[in-house]
């Protein structure tokens, strides 16, 4: 048994030796020393990069790993536990990742959670030497968007309307998703008080019409049933920077669930680029995504089905940003990011007449 750690003091060389050997690597050697440094800018989790050195050379053994563990901030940790973020990512790597053979994700060396204490550990491949986060760029090119949406196809297609989705019990617990969306309407007034003087009137009108229907919207999800990432955007993809790197690697599976395919599709397009860029490229890159699905064996999902699912899915970003902004601490940076993303999602929902597609107008 490998003990779970909740702070860097417990991430000893012996602990890393156990983790690496349990993953079938580093046999015949042990970790002699480890250097830890904070990594990433996550809010709900803590993460460090570990540079490990062995007492003997072992071919293929990792020399750098990433360790995710609970946030040191008690408030953020409580939110994450209530929303099940830690549990969901651990379960994704334990129960699902191996069922998605073409999806580019970091290799997972260890994934475990103590449900009673909420302590979890994920030890993942460190891809930082050959990738950069999508958010490091002001916007994504059509080629980068196409590559990202091809990975979305690799996430969705293998289990598209599959009975396996029903056999994985925790994936079919809708109560967590419903409770989140049922709470969205209560976020409207605080959001308007915080940002209303910086919003366009048509955005405010959209929010006032849409937010009360959040619970109804999420319960209207029908088919096809696919695996959703839940926060598929430029901040949760890594772009390859070398010739031998994968073009896109997908990370952060803390909101994985089952639902309609257009939700992740729309959240990516609305949350990863300015509205002008999205308008120019969306038809072309979404057609490429649809073609990739068909090539992967997906049936009975026409182009019109795809486009309408995308249009309906555009409401997802509106609900998340407006409904939950009040939980994010107000600061110059946070307010700027929230306001910018909210405007992008509002423009998208208006452009695509998403309220009408959802049956609310």
């Amino acid at each position: 048994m490998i003990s779970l750690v909740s702070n860097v003091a417990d991430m000893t060389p012996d602990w890393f030796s156990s983790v690496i050997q349990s993953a079938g690597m580093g046999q015949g050697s042990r970790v002699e020393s480890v250097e830890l440094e904070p990594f990433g800018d996550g809010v709900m989790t803590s993460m460090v990069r570990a540079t490990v050195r062995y007492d003997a050379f072992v071919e293929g053994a990792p020399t750098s790993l990433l360790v995710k563990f609970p946030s040191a901030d008690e408030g953020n940790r409580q939110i994450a536990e209530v929303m099940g973020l830690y549990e969901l990512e651990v379960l994704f790597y334990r129960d699902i990742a191996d069922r998605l053979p073409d999806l580019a994700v970091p290799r997972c060396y260890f994934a475990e959670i103590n449900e009673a204490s909420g302590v979890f550990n994920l030890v993942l491949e460190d891809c930082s030497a050959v990738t950069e986060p999508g958010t490091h760029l002001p916007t994504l090119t059509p080629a980068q968007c196409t590559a990202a949406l091809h990975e979305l196809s690799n996430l969705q297609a293998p289990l598209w309307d599959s009975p396996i989705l029903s056999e994985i019990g925790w994936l079919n617990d809708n109560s967590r998703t419903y409770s989140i969306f049922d709470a969205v309407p209560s976020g409207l007034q605080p959001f308007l008080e915080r940002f209303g003087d910086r919003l366009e009137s048509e955005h405010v009108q959209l929010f006032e019409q849409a937010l009360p229907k959040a619970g109804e919207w999420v319960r209207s999800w029908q088919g096809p049933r696919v695996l959703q990432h839940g926060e598929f955007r430029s901040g949760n993809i890594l772009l390859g920077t070398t010739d031998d790197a994968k073009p896109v690697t997908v990370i952060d599976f803390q909101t994985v669930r089952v639902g309609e395919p257009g939700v992740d599709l729309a959240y990516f397009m609305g949350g990863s680029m300015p509205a002008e860029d999205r308008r120019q490229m969306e038809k072309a890159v979404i057609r490429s995504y649809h073609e990739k699905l068909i090539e992967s064996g997906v049936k009975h999902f026409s182009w019109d089905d795809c486009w309408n699912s995308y249009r309906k899915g555009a409401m997802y970003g509106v609900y998340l940003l407006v409904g939950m902004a009040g939980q994010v601490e107000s600061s110059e940076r946070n307010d700027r990011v929230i306001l910018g993303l909210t405007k992008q999602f509002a423009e998208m929902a208006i452009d695509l007449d998403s309220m009408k597609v959802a049956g609310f107008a």
Side-chain angles (χ1 to χ4, degrees), residues 22-332:
S22 73
M25 308 184 74
Q27 306 300 328
S29 70
R30 61 177 296 275
V31 175
E32 193 171 47
S33 65
V34 58
E35 295 180 7
L36 302 171
E37 58 179 325
F39 185 83
D41 55 1
V43 175
M44 295 301 179
T45 62
S46 299
M47 185 157 57
V48 295
R49 176 197 280 127
T51 302
V52 298
R53 294 179 177 83
Y54 301 89
D55 62 357
F57 172 76
V58 179
E59 185 175 358
T63 57
S64 179
L65 310 98
L66 300 180
V67 184
K68 294 182 76 169
F69 55 105
S71 171
D73 182 273
E74 186 62 28
N76 290 342
R77 179 170 173 165
Q78 288 180 0
I79 293 171
E81 290 178 0
V82 168
M83 296 179 66
L85 305 185
Y86 300 158
E87 179 185 17
L88 287 174
E89 188 162 31
V90 167
L91 291 173
F92 169 81
Y93 278 105
R94 279 174 38 182
D95 296 350
I96 298 179
D98 288 345
R99 302 174 188 264
L100 309 172
D102 296 324
L103 179 66
V105 295
R107 176 173 178 177
C108 181
Y109 299 100
F110 181 66
E112 192 59 72
I113 186 169
N114 183 315
E115 295 183 9
S117 68
V119 175
F120 83 101
N121 292 159
L122 277 172
V123 183
L124 302 170
E125 175 187 8
D126 179 12
C127 303
S128 60
V130 295
T131 65
E132 65 177 351
T135 48
H136 281 193
L137 303 177
T139 189
L140 300 180
T141 67
Q144 289 166 333
C145 286
T146 297
L149 294 184
H150 279 195
E151 287 307 318
L152 178 59
S153 172
N154 289 335
L155 172 71
Q156 295 176 343
L159 299 177
W160 188 279
D161 257 343
S162 169
I164 293 174
L165 295 176
S166 299
E167 295 166 5
I168 302 175
W170 59 269
L171 265 181
N172 289 278
D173 182 4
N174 294 325
S175 60
R176 185 158 30 202
T177 300
Y178 290 166
S179 65
I180 290 171
F181 279 82
D182 286 342
V184 162
S186 65
L188 176 60
Q189 198 56 39
F191 181 88
L192 293 179
E193 291 173 359
R194 183 168 163 181
F195 297 106
D197 60 344
R198 288 172 281 177
L199 294 168
E200 303 296 333
S201 59
E202 58 265 32
H203 297 168
V204 174
Q205 182 180 5
L206 171 68
F207 302 154
E208 290 177 337
Q209 292 176 344
L211 267 288
K213 299 181 180 295
E216 184 181 347
W217 179 82
V218 75
R219 288 175 175 82
S220 75
W221 289 357
Q222 298 176 350
R225 300 175 75 244
V226 303
L227 192 65
Q228 284 183 0
H229 180 283
E231 202 181 358
F232 190 73
R233 57 182 177 82
S234 60
N236 286 329
I237 63 170
L238 304 174
L239 300 171
T241 57
T242 63
D243 291 341
D244 58 343
K246 298 171 183 176
V248 169
T249 299
V250 185
I251 59 174
D252 286 350
F253 293 88
Q254 297 175 348
T255 49
V256 65
R257 65 171 79 88
V258 173
E260 295 182 347
V263 167
D264 279 341
L265 184 61
Y267 194 71
F268 179 82
M269 295 301 294
S272 302
M273 66 198 74
E276 315 84 69
D277 293 346
R278 188 253 313 154
R279 291 176 182 127
Q280 290 177 11
M281 72 173 75
E282 66 185 345
K283 277 285 181 73
V285 299
I286 293 172
R287 279 196 179 276
S288 179
Y289 154 83
H290 181 252
E291 290 168 0
K292 179 71 161 56
L293 286 176
I294 302 306
E295 290 171 4
S296 300
V298 170
K299 301 182 185 302
H300 312 300
F301 191 61
S302 69
W303 164 248
D304 286 343
D305 294 334
C306 179
W307 184 248
N308 285 330
S309 184
Y310 171 65
R311 293 173 64 197
K312 181 180 178 182
M315 295 305 304
Y316 184 70
V318 171
Y319 289 133
L320 285 193
L321 268 292
V322 179
M324 300 181 186
Q327 300 178 18
V328 180
E329 180 185 4
S330 181
S331 68
E332 187 278 331

